[in-house]
């Protein structure tokens, strides 16, 4: 299974926001630390705000902050909200697949089961699980900028 780049950036941004909380995170700063496009990261930050994971504040001391504690942000929820579709193959992603064997094929059912197992693991972890007692994370990001 492969998650899209937006989900990767979303989880990175949320991780950084959790590490520096309650300070706000600027997209420019986070983009420099992760060595990614600030334009692309801004789109991701806006999506995270729209989905309720972040709150944004405008102005000189503005930026993005977590909307709730890291222990309340479930990784599986982030993945579901940022990923548009989690179907692994065409017949799982489109209502009317072009594949002629869909009516009798068992592969979509198997892959759906695998996807549900994958999401169940992500549902069992929060942002706090990724950041708490992980002293190595912040120094790596500080060196990266």
């Amino acid at each position: 299974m492969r998650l899209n780049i937006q989900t990767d950036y979303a989880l990175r941004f949320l991780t950084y926001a959790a590490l520096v909380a309650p300070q706000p995170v600027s997209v420019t700063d986070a983009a420099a630390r992760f060595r990614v496009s600030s334009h692309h990261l801004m789109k991701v930050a806006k999506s995270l705000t729209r989905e309720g994971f972040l709150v944004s504040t405008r102005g000189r001391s503005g930026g993005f902050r977590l909307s709730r504690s890291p222990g309340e942000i479930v990784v599986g929820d982030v993945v579901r909200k940022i990923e548009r579709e989690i179907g692994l193959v065409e017949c799982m992603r489109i209502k009317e697949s072009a594949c002629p064997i869909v009516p009798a094929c068992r592969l979509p059912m198997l892959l759906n089961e695998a996807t549900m197992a994958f999401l169940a693991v992500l549902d069992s972890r929060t942002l706090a699980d990724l950041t708490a007692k992980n002293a190595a994370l912040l120094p790596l990001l500080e060196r990266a900028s």
Side-chain angles (χ1 to χ4, degrees), residues 118-131:
F118 174 76
L119 290 170
V121 171
L122 297 180
D123 287 339
S124 72
R125 300 296 190 278
T126 66
L127 195 53
D129 295 320
L130 301 178
T131 57

Side-chain angles (χ1 to χ4, degrees), residues 22 49 63 67 96-97 107 112 117 121 136:
T49 302
S67 62
E96 293 183 30
S97 175
L107 182 61
N112 186 55
V121 171

Side-chain angles (χ1 to χ4, degrees), residues 53-117:
F53 298 108
L54 295 173
V55 292
S56 66
T57 307
R58 293 183 180 263
R60 189 168 187 243
S61 61
F64 294 89
R65 290 182 180 87
L66 296 179
S67 62
R68 50 194 183 271
S69 76
E72 296 176 72
I73 298 177
V74 177
V75 176
D77 291 342
V78 176
V79 170
R80 281 184 186 85
K81 295 286 185 175
I82 303 302
E83 289 286 319
R84 297 287 181 220
E85 297 181 54
I86 305 183
L88 297 178
V89 292
E90 175 194 349
C91 56
M92 292 176 69
R93 292 189 301 265
I94 341 177
K95 297 211 186 271
E96 293 183 30
S97 175
C99 180
I101 65 169
V102 166
C105 185
R106 294 180 180 156
L107 182 61
M109 186 172 59
L110 175 65
L111 293 176
N112 186 55
E113 185 179 340
T115 301
M116 293 300 109

